[in-house]
Amino acid sequence: MSKTTMTRRGVLKTGAVAGAGVALPTIFTASSAAAYTNEPTGGTVTLGFNVPQTGPYADEGLDELRAQELAVQHLNGEGDGGMLNTFSSKALKGNGILGKKVTFVTGDTQTKSDAARASAKSMIEKDGAIMINGGSSSGVAIAVQGLCQDAGVIFMAGLTHSNDTTGKDKKANGFRHFFNGYMSGAALAPVLANAYGKDRNAYHLTADYTWGWTQQESIQAATEAMGWNTVNNVLTPLASTDFSSYIAPVLNSGADVLVLNHYGGNMVNSLTNAIQFGLRDKVVNGKNFEIVVPLYSELMAAGAGENVQGVIGSMNWNWQLQDEGSKAFVKSFGEKYGRPPSNSAHTCYVQTLLYADACERAGTFNPCGVVEALEGFEFDGLGNGPTLYRADDHQCFKDVLVMRGKDNPTNEYDTLEILEVTPRAQVEYAPDHPMFAGGELGSCNAGA
């Protein structure tokens, strides 16, 4: 008997029909009668929230979990509804998804790809999760996205900023609402040129994994295009906690700007070390020494404290935005948790709603129906203005924020200010842009 797998275009038979010796992945078990992996049969539907609960990005993961729980409550008609009230799509009614109450399970990625895959696999196989959402590392996101493609479930990426997630490692079952390294470079370069001039020498410290590599490539290309010179790029292990040995050589390099392609606890530690070495008090090449953090988050800024004052970086979203969707989310989150949400929290909340909305519009939980509902989907009311989920690569396009550390913060959540809202058109790029080359989106996989 030949094996079958669902694709967007129907049923593809393997074995004798498609060629002798061809075999499908057998990691995931599902009823042969099921139309797709983990098809809900009772009154509930289970979502899997896979976030770093330990490791260098644990603070981000905790905030993602807060937002995911809030999203589930709003989907089930609990609380004030949050962004369901401002979302341009009106398919969600607060009665679950397709009439089924939403439940969820969680996993700890540990900011490690193997651990993330193991926890996602467990949620799919043992808990019946039909969608996986989360992550605060591009290495994790890419690993889990590949697993979900093979499993036949949808992956709604959380915080993942590497170009590769929707570049060479893109998958039909995966979608990214977060922006990427190219967008950061496109938004930051003009602001940096205006603030610091076009004659600058930059020294990069870069997290040694997919996000760091593509972030550094993006910011280097964008700044060199406006006249900056790149003095050096030094890779640092993700597990590093003390960056003193990496900071010391900067002093004798001739650089007058340090670019920290670090995130989470890594950025807090490397920025702290840079300040301890007195870099921001230096005058090099007749210019005040400056530090740039290409990817910011509120949690990182709070962790770094006064060290972020005046430091410029980019963000996907910020709680200070005044559009109706952002205000609704900040109000809901603040009333539940007593604090404003981070941009990682916003991303996971929005991705959970977008998945649920796609199911409603498609009239099915079948991943192939969800893919079709999301591809080319344009919407508003979820923050950052009008947004497009591009069909070519499943990347979202929307406005990008350029932030600066506040000189006189009033509290631990008031550490950053919005310097500029970069319009979507400035950060868009062609699907075949060289930084996103390689890989194929392929066809959706419904699994069973």
Side-chain angles (χ1 to χ4, degrees), residues 114-184:
D114 288 347
R117 284 177 62 93
S119 58
K121 183 175 184 289
S122 177
M123 286 188 282
I124 294 168
E125 284 193 327
K126 297 180 181 179
D127 301 309
I130 198 168
M131 181 273 276
I132 302 294
N133 166 248
S136 288
S137 156
S138 290
V140 161
I142 289 168
V144 174
Q145 181 168 258
L147 180 98
C148 288
Q149 179 69 38
D150 292 340
V153 302
I154 293 293
F155 176 62
M156 300 297 282
L159 196 160
T160 170
H161 194 239
S162 170
N163 293 340
D164 292 346
T165 307
T166 45
K168 71 178 183 64
D169 294 305
K170 58 185 174 287
K171 301 293 183 186
N173 281 39
F175 292 85
R176 170 163 62 177
H177 184 265
F178 208 70
F179 69 149
N180 57 46
Y182 174 90
M183 295 177 180
S184 284

Side-chain angles (χ1 to χ4, degrees), residues 23-39:
L24 294 176
T26 56
I27 299 174
F28 298 90
T29 60
S31 168
S32 59
Y36 48 90
T37 299
N38 291 339
E39 179 181 6

Side-chain angles (χ1 to χ4, degrees), residues 139-387:
V140 161
I142 289 168
V144 174
Q145 181 168 258
L147 180 98
C148 288
Q149 179 69 38
D150 292 340
V153 302
I154 293 293
F155 176 62
M156 300 297 282
L159 196 160
T160 170
H161 194 239
S162 170
N163 293 340
D164 292 346
T165 307
T166 45
K168 71 178 183 64
D169 294 305
K170 58 185 174 287
K171 301 293 183 186
N173 281 39
F175 292 85
R176 170 163 62 177
H177 184 265
F178 208 70
F179 69 149
N180 57 46
Y182 174 90
M183 295 177 180
S184 284
L188 282 172
V191 177
L192 294 175
N194 183 60
Y196 304 141
K198 297 183 178 180
D199 181 22
R200 283 286 185 164
N201 294 298
Y203 192 111
H204 292 248
L205 292 182
T206 301
D208 190 12
Y209 74 108
T210 180
W211 168 67
W213 306 331
T214 65
Q215 169 58 70
Q216 193 280 329
E217 176 189 27
S218 299
I219 195 71
Q220 177 176 332
T223 54
E224 287 184 351
M226 68 184 187
W228 285 25
N229 173 53
T230 303
V231 174
N232 201 0
N233 175 42
V234 177
L235 301 178
T236 62
L238 183 59
S240 297
T241 56
D242 185 348
F243 294 87
S244 300
S245 62
Y246 296 101
I247 300 293
V250 178
L251 295 167
N252 300 314
S253 67
D256 45 49
V257 175
L258 173 61
V259 181
L260 294 175
N261 300 297
H262 290 157
Y263 194 76
N266 288 163
M267 188 287 279
V268 171
N269 292 329
S270 62
L271 179 59
T272 299
N273 289 153
I275 299 301
Q276 290 171 340
F277 272 78
L279 286 185
R280 299 200 71 192
D281 299 325
K282 302 291 183 183
V283 175
V284 181
N285 304 323
K287 306 176 183 67
N288 292 333
F289 197 99
E290 303 291 351
I291 299 175
V292 176
V293 176
L295 181 59
Y296 250 139
S297 85
E298 301 89 345
L299 299 173
M300 289 160 48
E306 63 182 14
N307 292 335
V308 302
Q309 293 179 10
V311 175
I312 294 175
S314 69
M315 286 184 71
N316 184 67
W317 176 88
N318 181 266
W319 66 270
Q320 298 171 83
L321 287 171
Q322 291 302 301
D323 62 277
E324 293 305 310
S326 294
K327 289 192 293 184
F329 177 52
V330 171
K331 177 178 179 293
S332 295
F333 193 96
E335 289 178 350
K336 182 173 177 62
Y337 299 112
R339 57 190 293 158
S342 64
N343 75 155
S344 54
H346 170 261
T347 297
C348 285
Y349 176 90
V350 167
Q351 285 284 67
T352 304
L353 263 55
L354 285 169
Y355 169 78
D357 175 77
C359 291
E360 290 284 354
R361 290 187 292 110
T364 181
F365 290 104
N366 188 311
C368 296
V370 174
V371 168
E372 291 190 5
L374 283 171
E375 285 186 340
F377 181 45
E378 294 193 63
F379 56 92
D380 203 347
L382 298 182
N384 301 83
T387 304

Side-chain angles (χ1 to χ4, degrees), residues 87-115:
F87 191 11
S88 58
S89 173
K90 301 304 177 185
L92 295 170
K93 306 301 182 185
N95 61 344
I97 307 176
L98 295 175
K100 297 182 184 294
K101 183 177 180 179
V102 183
T103 62
F104 67 91
V105 291
T106 68
D108 180 9
T109 70
Q110 304 174 41
T111 319
K112 298 176 181 178
S113 296
D114 288 347

